[in-house]
RNA sequence: GGCGUCGUAGCUCAGAUGGUAGAGCAGAGGACUGAAAAUCCUUGUGUCACUGGUUCAAUUCCAGUCGAUGCCA
C-alpha cells in the first residue's frame, strides 16, 4: 500500500497502554520516530504543568525529540475531565490525520483511553455545590443515606452499582439532582465507532521487574527534587489533581504524620498498587496485543503498522 | 557469666488455664461512564525456633539447646 492509495479510513490510531514505569514513554518516542508521527499523551496527571517530577512526565529532551500533545497543557487549578479530553483529542486527531496517516496515543489512564477509542455518554458535568452537599450527607449520615436515596431515585442503577463505593453513588445522585433524570437513563453504555482505525498495544513486564522499576523510579524522583516540588504544592493540596501518588504521601510527611522514609516507602507501595489497577483495567479489554517495552521491532512488524514505517 | 522476657503468616503482633491458630499491613485477584495516579470489593495452612519429656493428644505444660532483647555483674 502506498500513501497515494490510502483513503481516509486507513487512518490509524495506535494506543500504547500499560502500567506506570513500564517504559511507555521511551517506547512511544521510539515508535513515533519510526513512524514519523506525533504522540498524544493519555495520562491524567501529566496534564498538569505544576506536576513534573512526580508524574514522570517526558523530559524536555524527550518532548523536543517528538512533539507531544496533552502534556503540561493544564494548570492544577483548571477543572478538567474525561469528556473534555475525549472531544479535545478527537478534534486534534482530525487535524493531525491531515498530516500524519498514523498517530500514537501513549498513556496509562484507562478511562481516558476508552473515552477516545469508544466514546463516553453525554452526561452533565459535576455541579460543585451538589457534590459538596452529597459529600456532607456521606460524612454525617453515612453511606446508607446515599444508598437509600439512589434506591428511590434510580433503582435500576442501584441494582448494578457497587453500593459500597461512595464515589459511584455520589456521581449517580448528583446527576439526578442536577437533571431530574436517572443516571441509568443517561448511561447508554454503547460504544461509538470512530472514523479511524485503532490498534491497541499493551506493554507489560514480569511483576518483579516492574516493581524494581517502580522502586527505582521513585528513588530517582526523590533525587530529582520531588520533595521540593511537593512542598511548593502543599498549600494547594485540596485540589483534586494533587490527590495523586507521589504527592499525597509527602503531604502526610509535611503535616508531621509520617517520616520521610515512611512516605517514600508509601509512594512505592501505592505506585505498585496503581500499576496493578492499571493492569486489571487493560487486561479485561481483549483488543490489546501485549508486548514488552523492548519489543519496538515486533510492534512495528504488526500488519497494521508496517505499511507506515518510514513514510 | 547470673536473672528475666521473647521466639506464631513476607512484616508488626494477638491467642488458646492442652484438642494443630487469627488480626492489621504487605502480597494476589477483581470492579470501574466527567474524582480515574481517583474510588471501591474479594482473598489468610503457617514445620506456632529446635530437641527431648509428660499426656489419648503439645504450638500451648516441663527440661534442655539455639537466637533476640532487657537488667545485674
Amino acid at each position: 500500500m502506498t500513501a497515494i492509495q490510502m483513503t481516509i479510513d486507513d487512518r490509524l490510531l495506535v494506543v500504547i497502554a500499560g502500567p506506570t514505569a513500564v517504559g511507555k514513554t521511551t517506547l512511544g518516542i521510539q515508535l513515533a520516530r519510526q513512524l514519523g508521527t506525533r504522540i498524544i499523551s493519555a495520562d491524567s496527571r501529566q496534564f498538569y504543568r505544576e506536576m513534573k517530577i512526580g508524574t514522570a512526565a517526558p523530559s524536555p529532551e524527550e518532548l523536543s525529540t517528538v512533539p507531544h500533545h496533552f502534556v503540561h497543557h493544564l494548570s492544577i487549578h483548571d477543572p478538567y475531565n474525561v469528556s473534555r479530553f475525549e472531544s479535545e483529542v478527537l478534534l486534534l486527531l482530525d487535524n493531525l490525520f491531515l498530516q500524519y496517516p498514523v498517530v500514537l496515543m501513549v498513556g496509562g489512564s484507562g478511562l481516558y483511553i476508552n473515552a477516545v477509542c469508544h466514546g463516553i455518554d453525554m452526561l452533565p458535568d459535576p455541579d460543585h455545590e451538589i457534590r459538596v452537599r452529597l459529600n456532607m450527607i456521606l460524612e454525617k449520615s453515612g453511606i446508607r443515606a446515599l444508598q437509600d436515596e439512589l434506591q428511590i431515585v434510580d433503582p435500576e442503577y442501584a441494582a448494578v452499582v457497587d453500593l459500597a463505593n461512595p464515589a459511584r453513588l455520589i456521581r449517580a445522585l448528583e446527576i439526578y439532582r442536577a437533571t431530574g433524570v436517572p443516571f441509568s437513563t443517561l448511561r447508554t453504555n454503547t460504544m461509538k465507532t470512530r472514523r479511524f482505525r485503532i490498534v491497541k498495544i499493551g506493554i507489560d513486564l514480569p511483576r518483579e521487574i516492574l516493581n524494581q522499576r517502580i522502586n527505582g523510579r521513585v528513588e530517582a524522583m526523590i533525587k530529582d527534587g520531588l520533595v521540593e516540588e511537593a512542598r511548593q504544592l502543599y498549600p494547594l493540596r485540596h485540589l483534586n489533581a494533587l490527590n495523586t501518588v507521589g504527592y499525597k504521601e509527602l503531604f502526610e510527611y509535611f503535616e508531621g504524620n509520617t517520616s520521610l522514609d515512611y512516605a517514600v516507602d508509601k509512594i512505592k507501595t501505592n505506585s505498585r498498587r496503581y500499576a496493578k489497577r492499571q493492569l486489571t483495567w487493560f487486561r479485561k479489554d481483549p483488543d490489546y496485543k501485549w508486548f514488552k517495552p523492548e519489543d519496538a521491532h515486533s510492534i512495528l512488524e504488526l500488519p497494521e503498522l508496517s505499511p507506515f514505517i518510514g513514510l
Side-chain angles (χ1 to χ4, degrees):
Chain A
M1 186 201 304
T2 69
I4 289 152
Q5 289 172 316
M6 276 192 315
T7 71
I8 199 147
D9 294 325
D10 289 319
R11 300 174 308 174
L12 180 70
L13 178 67
V14 179
V15 174
I16 308 287
T20 189
V22 80
K24 298 187 293 294
T25 301
T26 305
L27 173 67
I29 287 168
Q30 217 177 327
L31 294 174
R33 294 185 69 174
Q34 292 285 311
L35 296 164
T37 189
R38 299 184 169 207
I39 291 173
I40 292 172
S41 170
D43 188 303
S44 73
R45 290 302 188 270
Q46 290 180 7
F47 295 160
Y48 303 104
R49 55 177 158 269
E50 294 90 343
M51 301 163 70
K52 289 195 162 76
I53 300 171
T55 59
S59 66
E61 296 74 50
E62 290 172 321
L63 292 173
S64 69
T65 307
V66 172
H68 282 63
H69 300 269
F70 298 94
V71 175
H72 300 158
H73 69 305
L74 295 176
S75 161
I76 51 175
H77 298 280
D78 298 332
Y80 202 71
N81 61 52
V82 218
S83 177
R84 281 187 59 184
F85 183 73
E86 178 195 5
S87 49
E88 287 172 15
V89 170
L90 291 179
L91 196 66
L92 176 68
L93 278 174
D94 276 345
N95 283 312
L96 289 180
F97 279 140
L98 295 175
Q99 239 189 106
Y100 308 96
V102 52
V103 172
L104 257 51
M105 181 160 75
V106 179
S109 300
L111 181 68
Y112 283 66
I113 291 170
N114 267 17
V116 170
C117 294
H118 308 296
I120 197 163
D121 289 321
M122 290 293 292
L123 299 170
D125 282 343
D127 178 302
H128 184 70
E129 293 281 305
I130 297 177
R131 183 167 286 191
V132 167
R133 229 172 293 142
L134 287 165
N135 273 300
M136 272 171 53
I137 291 176
L138 173 64
E139 207 169 303
K140 282 190 188 151
S141 316
I143 196 161
R144 191 62 203 276
L146 299 177
Q147 294 167 342
D148 290 347
E149 184 177 336
L150 188 68
Q151 209 63 254
I152 293 164
V153 141
D154 190 354
E156 193 183 332
Y157 187 58
V160 295
V161 245
D162 177 0
L163 287 168
N165 191 333
R168 295 279 123 70
L169 304 181
I170 286 175
R171 177 65 187 143
L173 288 174
E174 75 188 7
I175 285 175
Y176 182 79
R177 286 189 176 196
T179 65
V181 181
F183 182 44
S184 56
T185 308
L186 297 171
R187 194 179 70 131
T188 67
N189 249 326
T190 49
M191 291 221 269
K192 289 178 194 154
T193 46
R194 301 304 190 194
R195 302 285 313 272
F196 45 85
R197 293 181 298 141
I198 298 171
V199 173
K200 293 179 184 172
I201 311 278
I203 307 300
D204 197 10
L205 282 169
R207 186 64 60 93
E208 200 176 318
I209 294 171
L210 183 66
N211 287 346
Q212 279 171 20
R213 291 187 58 127
I214 288 171
N215 294 343
R217 191 166 77 176
V218 172
E219 293 293 342
M221 285 176 178
I222 296 296
K223 244 176 232 150
D224 289 347
L226 213 215
V227 179
E228 262 322 294
E229 183 174 87
R231 202 187 298 278
Q232 280 171 27
L233 297 172
Y234 177 65
L236 305 168
R237 61 191 173 282
H238 58 279
L239 293 174
N240 178 250
L242 290 173
N243 184 190
T244 297
V245 175
Y247 297 87
K248 54 184 179 182
E249 298 85 357
L250 288 172
F251 296 158
E252 287 296 306
Y253 161 60
F254 298 148
E255 310 226 325
N257 297 334
T258 71
S259 69
L260 179 57
D261 282 352
Y262 183 86
V264 172
D265 273 354
K266 229 26 192 158
I267 293 173
K268 291 176 184 172
T269 301
N270 286 337
S271 297
R272 274 183 256 130
R273 282 140 86 87
Y274 172 47
K276 207 155 89 77
R277 272 178 272 135
Q278 289 175 300
L279 284 167
T280 299
W281 180 287
F282 296 125
R283 274 191 301 228
K284 80 168 173 184
D285 182 343
D287 292 344
Y288 278 98
K289 299 179 168 76
W290 291 92
F291 292 89
K292 291 190 175 125
E294 64 267 23
D295 289 342
H297 188 70
S298 351
I299 293 171
L300 289 167
E301 276 177 352
L302 288 170
E304 296 94 330
L305 296 213
S306 54
F308 297 103
I309 298 175
L311 272 190

